[in-house]
Amino acid sequence: MSEISNLQKARAAYQPKLPKALQGPVTAVEGAATQSVGNQKEIRELFPNTYGMPVVEFAEGKKAPGSQFNVGVILSGGQAPGGHNVISGLFDGIRSLNPDNKLYGFLMGPGGLVDHKYMEITPEIMDAYRNTGGFDIIGSGRTKLEEVDQFEKGIVILRELGIKALVIIGGDDSNTNACVLAEYYASKNYGVQVIGCPKTIDGDLKNDQIEASFGFDTACKTYSELIGNIERDCNSARKYWHFIKVMGRSASHIALECALQTQPNVCLISEEIEKKEQSLDDIVKYIADIVAARAAQGNNFGTVIIPEGLIEFIPAIKRLIAELNDILATDEAKTVTRENQIEYVKAHLSAANLAVFSSLPADVASQLALDRDPHGNVQVSLIETEKLLSRMVGKKLAEMKKDGKYTGKFSAQHHFFGYEGRCAAPSNFDADYCYSLGFNASRLINAGKTGYMSVIRNTTAPAAEWIAGGVPITMMMNLEKRSGKFKPVIRKALVELDGKPFKFFAQHRDDWAANTKYVYPGSIQYWGPSEVCDQTTKTLQLEQK
Ligand code: FBP
């Protein structure tokens, strides 16, 4: 058990806000039947029991006797600030229906369900984690729940503990698995409901129904504080270019939000690079030209934000990864030892992709050819793109110097902001949002729903006006190729290049590049004037404008 800080003590007393509709008894108002975002025929066939269900919205209802039931909860995947508040909202929600209702946490992610590792979350345990960051109350993990054998092992312990519903708190992959599990238990009439909650700092689990995944707000504010501090240092010493990689495995939402908050000299947006079919060399030239233009004004310093997933969006590298994924998914590839893996993929790549593979620095190439995470993703957090780019920019500037196109000095510093932001104490927004998501999940369970995601909308309004309800997870699905096969998955939300947040950035970036217009957002404020403490992300503000 770790020591308790003063902030944690003071923060424990914070009572998260709930939407008005959840403050008393509720009634579930159902909308029209839904369909999936893509591949409707295939998704309907794969999910005959959970396809087409209506969107649900909670309205104030009449008090009814609360039934006694137990609930299980799982934290899945990467940590995101606010996870403990989802659990405290769920805990308070089920106990407000009946004080005898129990909450069990499965330990270290979905694997805890399969291996029957769990603990009861008592009021004392719960109180120690209210409004804190991290997932350490029960731990998290990335075990992929997808095999019948795992579902069957799960039902044994769910029955033993008298669990009526399982809440899976996770990102797109984990909620996809929640949906598969809900469908399986429904098809078997096992009587266990499954509800998902939208988590990920990456911000890519969003759509017409989900305004933001939780944790994005706090993580972006934490990174923006650090980036702002670096900008101030940079503007004080005026001698370094800082290359800052920020997390976000695939989409560039975090990079974009941090750019909106801090106004760096350069921010790359992977989705734009893909759309413009830019090569690594195009990107390097873009940065080098900005460095040279600033140097011509006597400014040999600057800040560059790089999204973690960049490498996968450069079209030539994307094609290479797609072929590598197919090669690595074969049974033969699975028998190859780690030492021989690179030679093995080289021997199997097409000529075009082999040329791209061979052109990459050895560390990047080997990371692309090595093991995927359990969901089949390249482990981009291990690729040091910030160093790769600064090295290449340095080389490009040396060439430009020979041609007389650059006369400055270039000295680079490197940073990776990822793990620093995932367990920060949740902002007021995330504390309220997460508590509401968890509390709302208890109402979905009480309404007998399964295969639904807990959803809170209208989040730029004060919390009392938020809209609470549920969306069938099948509604967010389409088919995508994973580990060499087409599978039903929740569609990831990438940065929309015609969306207001990107457009705002695109309108201002040349000004931010040439002129030093840094913004220093400072640390997350939990107490004080509302315009300082209760602001949502700029992304949400621009989107909802
Ligand atoms: P989730 O999608 O599970 O929320 O995790 C996202 C993330 O934080 C990415 O930003 C990052 O690339 C990845 O997790 C790192 O994974 P790990 O924690 O396994 O190193």
Side-chain angles (χ1 to χ4, degrees), residues 161-332:
L161 298 172
I163 288 177
K164 167 187 159 79
L166 187 62
V167 176
I168 299 184
I169 302 172
D172 53 339
D173 287 329
S174 309
N175 275 289
T176 294
N177 297 153
C179 193
V180 174
L181 187 64
E183 174 65 30
Y184 181 81
Y185 285 168
S187 73
K188 293 276 177 185
N189 275 320
Y190 282 170
V192 173
Q193 301 157 236
V194 183
I195 301 291
C197 269
K199 170 234 72 167
T200 178
I201 60 162
D202 291 2
D204 55 9
L205 178 47
K206 71 171 178 179
N207 46 48
D208 290 345
Q209 306 293 333
I210 300 175
E211 293 180 358
S213 54
F214 80 75
F216 176 69
D217 185 272
T218 311
C220 289
K221 285 174 180 162
T222 306
Y223 302 142
S224 296
E225 178 198 352
L226 297 173
I227 295 168
N229 294 349
I230 286 175
E231 285 178 335
R232 199 152 220 170
D233 192 287
C234 177
N235 198 16
S236 306
R238 304 194 177 187
K239 61 177 181 178
Y240 292 128
W241 270 86
H242 290 268
F243 285 71
I244 307 165
K245 182 175 77 163
V246 290
M247 259 191 183
R249 177 189 294 118
S250 204
S252 306
H253 297 292
I254 295 180
L256 177 57
E257 173 62 25
C258 291
L260 294 173
Q261 289 194 31
T262 61
Q263 305 188 178
N265 303 105
V266 178
C267 175
L268 303 174
I269 300 296
S270 309
E271 290 81 344
E272 184 185 26
I273 285 162
E274 180 173 34
K275 173 93 189 301
K276 291 185 170 167
E277 299 200 14
Q278 289 179 321
S279 65
L280 199 49
D281 191 57
D282 294 332
I283 299 168
V284 169
K285 186 166 180 320
Y286 169 70
I287 303 173
D289 284 345
I290 290 176
V291 174
R294 283 181 65 80
Q297 303 297 320
N299 295 325
N300 287 301
F301 66 94
T303 46
V304 182
I305 300 182
I306 302 153
E308 184 186 52
L310 175 74
I311 208 90
E312 284 192 294
F313 281 77
I314 298 172
I317 301 183
K318 188 172 190 160
R319 286 191 289 275
L320 165 67
I321 292 174
E323 194 181 4
L324 283 171
N325 285 346
D326 288 346
I327 294 171
L328 293 170
T330 60
D331 289 338
E332 187 190 72

Side-chain angles (χ1 to χ4, degrees), residues 515-527:
N515 305 304
T516 306
K517 295 232 166 146
Y518 300 151
V519 175
Y520 316 119
S523 57
I524 295 174
Q525 304 295 316
Y526 300 98
W527 293 272

Side-chain angles (χ1 to χ4, degrees), residues 35 66 83-84 106 137 143 153 202 249 274 280 364 416 418 447:
Q35 49 177 351
H84 290 156
F106 289 97
I137 185 169
T143 304
K153 282 184 181 151
D202 291 2
R249 177 189 294 118
E274 180 173 34
L280 199 49
V364 178
F416 170 35

Side-chain angles (χ1 to χ4, degrees), residues 95-161:
R95 284 164 59 93
S96 71
L97 294 165
N98 184 324
D100 292 332
N101 289 348
K102 286 191 177 142
L103 181 62
Y104 291 97
F106 289 97
L107 305 181
M108 302 310 294
L113 176 72
V114 180
D115 301 334
H116 298 187
K117 300 217 165 96
Y118 65 90
M119 65 183 231
E120 186 188 336
I121 300 178
T122 61
E124 297 70 37
I125 295 174
M126 194 67 258
D127 285 349
Y129 288 91
R130 289 178 188 271
N131 308 312
T132 57
F135 279 7
D136 44 325
I137 185 169
I138 49 175
S140 186
R142 290 198 185 274
T143 304
K144 193 168 166 58
L145 275 186
E146 60 172 356
E147 305 292 339
V148 165
D149 174 50
Q150 296 172 307
F151 304 161
E152 287 295 333
K153 282 184 181 151
I155 196 68
V156 172
I157 189 68
L158 294 170
R159 284 190 175 138
E160 196 179 308
L161 298 172

